[in-house]
Every structure is written in structure tokens, then in C-alpha cells.
Amino acid sequence: MDNETPAPKRPMQGVRDPRSLRALAHPLRLKLLGILRTDGAHSVGQLAGLVDEAPGTVSYHLGTLAEFGFVVPAPERARDGRERWWQAAHSHTVFEPAELLDDPEQHGAVRVLQQAILQSYLGELLDALDAEPALGRDWVAASTHSDSFGYLTAPQLAEFSAELAALSRKWEAASDPKRPGVKPIRWILHAFARP
């Protein structure tokens, strides 16, 4: 790519609509949106090559994402009238599962979305393991895969989660894709009460 600009740093606040949540809960849509957010605007043809899908399939799913405001056209990038370019509308999607517990339709939709997101995380982690031999020893050594366990109250868990979010924001702000020697880095955070 030619130094594309990632999605703007404006989170989408308060996604609660079950139709929007379900629209996003598709593995290919999550993948397309992720590419547009991290790597910037792409043409349908470029995206089709990256996700190994037919351009018509990619166009259909981009249309669905656009219908719910997750992506927007980027016609200024097109070299001619046949090329369709898209970009992410926001850098993050925000939803609060706790706020959706009382409405069965909202809760069902957010659960489907969370399951799709967790499955995509697993795919990314497995891809990262497969890529380790080509990364080099220093990148493999710098990576981490760990878990821990403790006994906390709900307020303590909320404080812990807030600290993780702040740490994540710190390193997002320090990110510079043009700095020599960088690679795209992915971190996935989970902290939850066990049943």
C-alpha cells in the first residue's frame, strides 16, 4: 500500500441497535473492517485479494457495513469510474454488553457479535503462531502469551479493566507506522469473572 491513513481516531459510541450488532457479527465483515481500520482505505479489488474472496462478495459485505455506518466510500482514491474505494468511518466500535442485558434482542445480538469477535481473535493468534519462524528471534521473544488468576470484587475488576484500557490507549498513542523498524502489533485483552 502507498502509506494509507488508518481510520480516524473517533470511536463509534453506543452501538446498541440489534441490526447493527448482527450486521457486524460476520467473520468476513469483521476482517474487512479490521483491514480498513489498521491499513487505511482500499479498493474492492485490493480487499478481495487480501481476504481471498470474489470482488462481488466483498462489495456486498462492504455495502452492509456502509448501511450501518461502519465504512464510508472513499471516491477520491479511485483512478477511474470503475474502481470503488472504501475507508473505515471510525477507529473503534464501542458497545457495552452490561447495558444490553435487560433487552433479550439486544443481548442476543451482542452475544453473537462477541462470539464472532472471539473466533476472529483465535484465528489471529493461530496465524501469529504460524508466522513465528519468519519473524525472527527478537520479535518472538518480545511477544507475550500469558494468563493469570485472582480473586477480586466487581469494583476491583472494573479498576483492573480500566487500567488495561489506559495501558492500551498509551501504546496506541505511541504508535507510528512510518517509524523505521516497526511492525503492526496486535494485543487482545480480556478480564472476566469466571462462572
Side-chain angles (χ1 to χ4, degrees), residues 57-114:
T57 300
V58 169
S59 288
Y60 169 79
H61 287 292
L62 288 168
T64 301
L65 289 170
E67 178 183 347
F68 293 97
F70 296 107
V71 301
V72 294
E76 68 281 359
R77 303 266 190 184
R79 291 181 296 241
D80 60 50
R82 295 174 307 209
E83 213 175 41
R84 295 277 324 250
W85 280 71
W86 293 90
Q87 64 188 14
H90 311 89
S91 64
H92 294 82
T93 300
V94 178
F95 57 89
E96 291 295 334
E99 294 176 8
L100 308 178
L101 285 173
D102 294 334
D103 182 313
E105 186 179 10
Q106 286 178 325
H107 181 255
V110 81
R111 187 166 188 272
V112 169
L113 176 56
Q114 288 174 304

Side-chain angles (χ1 to χ4, degrees), residues 118-173:
L118 288 172
Q119 288 171 344
S120 75
Y121 290 165
L122 178 59
E124 286 186 65
L125 289 165
L126 292 172
D127 289 346
L129 287 177
D130 290 343
E132 279 186 349
L135 280 177
R137 190 173 303 278
D138 56 337
W139 286 103
V140 175
S143 300
T144 184
H145 301 278
S146 66
D147 69 303
S148 194
F149 185 84
Y151 292 89
L152 306 175
T153 64
Q156 288 174 317
L157 177 57
E159 182 180 348
F160 179 76
S161 296
E163 287 177 13
L164 287 176
L167 183 63
S168 183
R169 285 190 303 274
K170 171 190 168 186
W171 288 104
E172 283 178 9

